């Protein structure tokens, strides 16, 4: 059994979600973690989690949306989070690549949500794009519990990986590792200990080779697992076992 630890079900258009979930199940991708990016999509993630027994929700405000965060947003998020199918706060973090919200507001929203997660004893799913230093700095500042941080769609180099590992965090790897021009992420995959690695699609985005540019689906998770197995020269079964155990442990899901 495999787990897609990062998907945005609400962002699929013209797609039958029943079929998407079902085809994943047929191919052994048994659990999907549906991640919110704002209040509306977080509410939808909870709805999907309530509808499908094998879907769990992560709720939070993405750094792109940080400029819209106010007291009320945080209250709404807090009210939402008290649900047994919510397994983390996310995706939260910093994005200095697209800078769709001013940096100071991104930091403010990230900090508020780190504190919320900490107070609820929930893990966090972190979005980090060209903001490695500040992400680590803020996690350190709030003294966030080490085993409860997942850096999703890891885009750093091996140096940053080492820093993340030293902190005791997890990383997740998706479609980009299969791209023909992938170099940095291939090095990361060679160097990450198996007990810190999770798999994700980030669907509907970032479909793996040979589906690059098309709509990503959880059914493509085996392609990512196989590529990682090839890079490391180990079996698919080993990747499957390790990443599934890690995901269940990280999100506190019992099967
Ligand atoms: Ni995402």
């Amino acid at each position: 059994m495999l787990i897609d630890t990062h998907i945005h079900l609400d962002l699929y258009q013209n797609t039958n979600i029943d079929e998407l979930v079902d085809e994943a199940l047929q191919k052994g991708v048994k659990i999907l973690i549906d991640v919110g990016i704002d209040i509306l999509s977080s509410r939808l993630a909870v709805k999907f989690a309530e509808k499908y027994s094998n879907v769990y929700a992560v709720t939070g405000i993405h750094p792109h949306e940080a400029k819209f965060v106010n007291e009320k947003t945080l209250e709404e998020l807090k009210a939402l989070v008290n649900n047994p199918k919510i397994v983390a706060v996310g995706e939260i973090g910093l994005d200095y690549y697209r800078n769709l919200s001013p940096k100071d507001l991104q930091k403010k929203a990230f900090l508020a949500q780190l504190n919320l997660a900490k107070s609820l004893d929930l893990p966090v799913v972190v979005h980090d794009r060209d903001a490695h230093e500040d992400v680590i700095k803020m996690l350190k500042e709030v003294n966030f519990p080490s085993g409860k941080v997942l850096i999703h769609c890891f885009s750093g180099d091996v140096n940053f990986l080492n820093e993340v590992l030293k902190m005791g965090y997890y990383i997740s790897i998706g479609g980009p590792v299969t791209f023909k021009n992938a170099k940095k992420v291939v090095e990361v995959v060679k160097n990450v200990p198996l007990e810190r690695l999770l798999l994700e699609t980030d669907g509907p985005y970032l479909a793996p080779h040979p589906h690059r540019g098309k709509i990503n689906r959880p059914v493509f998770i085996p392609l990512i697992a196989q590529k990682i197995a090839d890079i490391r020269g180990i079996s698919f079964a080993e990747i499957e076992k390790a990443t599934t155990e890690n995901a269940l442990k990280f999100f506190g899901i019992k099967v």
Side-chain angles (χ1 to χ4, degrees):
M1 138 173 164
L2 289 155
I3 299 182
D4 183 353
T5 66
H6 196 110
I7 187 163
H8 302 281
L9 290 175
D10 63 306
L11 297 180
Y12 282 85
Q13 288 165 350
N14 310 318
T15 301
N16 183 324
I17 301 298
D18 285 349
E19 280 172 24
L20 193 86
V21 172
D22 197 52
E23 73 170 4
L25 275 173
Q26 305 299 328
K27 293 275 172 165
V29 185
K30 303 269 187 194
I31 293 177
L32 313 181
I33 311 284
D34 187 10
V35 182
I37 52 168
D38 57 17
I39 291 292
L40 178 64
S41 85
S42 292
R43 284 202 182 115
L44 289 169
V46 174
K47 278 204 168 152
F48 284 121
E50 284 169 347
K51 180 172 182 190
Y52 305 104
S53 63
N54 63 322
V55 173
Y56 292 80
V58 171
T59 51
I61 318 289
H62 192 283
H64 290 341
E65 308 296 322
K67 57 182 176 240
F68 304 116
V69 172
N70 55 34
E71 288 292 310
K72 193 171 155 254
T73 326
L74 293 169
E75 283 308 312
E76 283 173 326
L77 188 61
K78 210 169 169 180
L80 198 60
V81 159
N82 190 17
N83 180 307
K85 289 295 292 278
I86 295 183
V87 290
V89 172
E91 60 182 284
I92 61 175
L94 303 172
D95 192 314
Y96 297 169
Y97 178 72
R98 294 186 67 193
N99 270 319
L100 294 187
S101 284
K103 278 186 188 178
D104 58 326
L105 295 183
Q106 290 192 40
K107 286 184 181 172
K108 208 175 151 195
F110 187 30
L111 181 66
Q113 294 179 93
L114 284 176
N115 284 324
L116 175 65
K118 206 178 157 189
S119 72
L120 297 164
D121 204 25
L122 280 171
V124 285
V125 175
V126 175
H127 172 104
D128 158 36
R129 194 101 194 262
D130 289 358
H132 310 325
E133 251 175 61
D134 279 358
V135 163
I136 293 273
K137 201 171 130 207
M138 289 184 64
L139 285 163
K140 276 185 185 165
E141 268 168 18
V142 300
N143 201 11
F144 205 87
S146 60
K148 287 183 176 281
V149 176
L150 171 62
I151 311 287
H152 112 85
C153 197
F154 189 83
S155 62
D157 59 12
V158 172
N159 288 332
F160 183 55
L161 172 71
N162 288 333
E163 228 177 302
V164 160
L165 294 174
K166 218 176 358 169
M167 294 295 294
Y169 304 158
Y170 291 81
I171 68 163
S172 58
I173 295 288
V177 73
T178 68
F179 295 170
K180 284 192 174 133
N181 55 353
K183 281 200 184 84
K184 204 162 65 170
V185 65
V186 167
E187 286 308 308
V188 163
V189 160
K190 280 182 192 162
N191 285 283
V192 62
L194 275 191
E195 63 270 20
R196 301 286 189 86
L197 177 67
L198 281 72
L199 305 176
E200 65 164 83
T201 55
D202 207 8
Y205 312 117
L206 294 173
H209 177 80
H211 307 286
R212 191 173 181 178
K214 303 205 184 103
I215 293 170
N216 201 357
R217 307 172 75 91
V219 76
F220 297 155
I221 282 282
L223 294 171
I224 298 164
Q226 186 60 58
K227 180 68 188 188
I228 294 174
D230 293 346
I231 290 170
R232 294 181 68 112
I234 60 174
S235 70
F236 180 93
E238 278 174 277
I239 296 296
E240 179 174 34
K241 183 170 183 286
T243 57
T244 296
E245 280 175 6
N246 298 340
L248 294 174
K249 184 175 154 204
F250 181 80
F251 291 108
I253 296 170
K254 307 235 182 322
V255 285

